[in-house]
Amino acid sequence: MMQDISYPLGDRVPDRGEMIQVADGIYWLRMSLPMQLDHINLYVLEDESGWWIVDTGMKTSDTRKRWQSLFDGPLSGKPVIGVILTHLHPDHIGQAGWLCQRFDVLPSMSHGEYFQARTMAAPSAEEGPSWAVRDYMRKLGVDLERLKRSGRKFRGMGALIEPLPGGYQRLRAGDVLSIGSRQWQIHIGRGHSPEHVCLFDPQ
């Protein structure tokens, strides 16, 4: 028999421009997504000298406004000193380029996620999906005529993320990040994305 899940905060969720403290030095925020799954949960970790952002939301004007509201409000007292990107999906890395440039920090992420993100976001010389994408879709059983008709709408991943910086801080399995009073162990998961970074505090 399954146990009921306990939600310590009940139905409370962060509003626009708000962070909710969920544990000492750990804050929860939300960003909107323009799809059926209409939001993503993100986190900010507090260190004595500044803030660490964990994932960034998608490249949308609404996401940018929400970040600006946070920088004008609860994050205004300290600089952002780190941006941790768990994996390459656009809802997680979409605003990373803007945030990293704004605060002069490199993203911290795994090798596989960084380089695959750079590759997938690179501009294509072809209009619409590339031949490789078309071939992949054909193997999945997608109607190629339909794909061709929607080709002009096919913008690819580069339209959903700000360009990533030309360098990064590599996170490997077994690394430990000291942030505030916590020691975050780095674990790597595979399946949801190639080299997904997970942060674990044994305390």
Side-chain angles (χ1 to χ4, degrees):
M1 185 171 174
M2 286 184 60
Q3 281 188 316
D4 289 337
I5 297 174
S6 173
Y7 295 95
L9 298 176
D11 294 332
R12 177 132 163 69
V13 297
D15 291 325
R16 179 177 180 147
E18 180 187 21
M19 302 189 314
I20 295 178
Q21 186 168 8
V22 296
D24 184 37
I26 305 173
Y27 297 84
W28 169 36
L29 54 135
R30 277 188 166 180
M31 296 293 175
S32 298
L33 293 176
M35 56 188 69
Q36 190 170 2
L37 176 62
D38 64 1
H39 70 274
I40 180 172
N41 295 307
L42 308 174
Y43 296 89
V44 173
L45 308 177
E46 186 171 13
D47 189 72
E48 291 82 359
S49 55
W51 303 103
W52 286 77
I53 292 171
V54 181
D55 292 337
T56 70
M58 194 177 283
K59 176 187 171 183
T60 67
S61 59
D62 182 72
T63 301
R64 183 79 62 95
K65 287 175 187 173
R66 287 181 187 236
W67 276 119
Q68 189 58 57
S69 178
L70 288 163
F71 296 140
D72 293 340
L75 294 175
S76 62
K78 299 179 185 179
V80 170
I81 59 173
V83 175
I84 299 169
L85 303 176
T86 60
H87 63 291
L88 60 79
H89 294 159
D91 51 334
H92 291 260
I93 69 168
Q95 290 291 348
W98 172 67
L99 290 167
C100 289
Q101 182 175 23
R102 175 174 179 155
F103 293 102
D104 293 329
V105 296
L106 292 175
S108 297
M109 58 195 304
S110 68
H111 175 85
E113 298 293 326
Y114 175 76
F115 282 101
Q116 186 155 340
R118 291 288 304 266
T119 299
M120 291 176 71
S124 171
E126 302 179 55
E127 183 176 321
S130 68
W131 71 267
V133 170
R134 291 194 304 272
D135 186 58
Y136 177 68
M137 295 294 190
R138 178 186 59 76
K139 290 174 182 172
L140 291 176
V142 173
D143 177 7
L144 293 185
E145 283 304 312
R146 181 177 178 191
L147 187 65
K148 191 184 295 183
R149 287 194 302 272
S150 65
R152 291 193 177 188
K153 298 178 187 175
F154 192 94
R155 300 179 300 161
M157 189 168 142
L160 303 175
I161 71 169
E162 296 289 348
L164 288 171
Y168 74 113
Q169 297 288 334
R170 185 175 183 182
L171 296 177
R172 298 177 175 89
D175 287 351
V176 176
L177 294 178
S178 296
I179 300 175
S181 62
R182 297 182 183 274
Q183 303 296 307
W184 293 100
Q185 297 176 3
I186 301 301
H187 296 267
I188 299 295
R190 302 181 195 279
H192 181 68
S193 64
E195 201 176 359
H196 188 297
V197 168
C198 305
L199 282 76
F200 175 65
D201 174 9
Q203 301 303 317

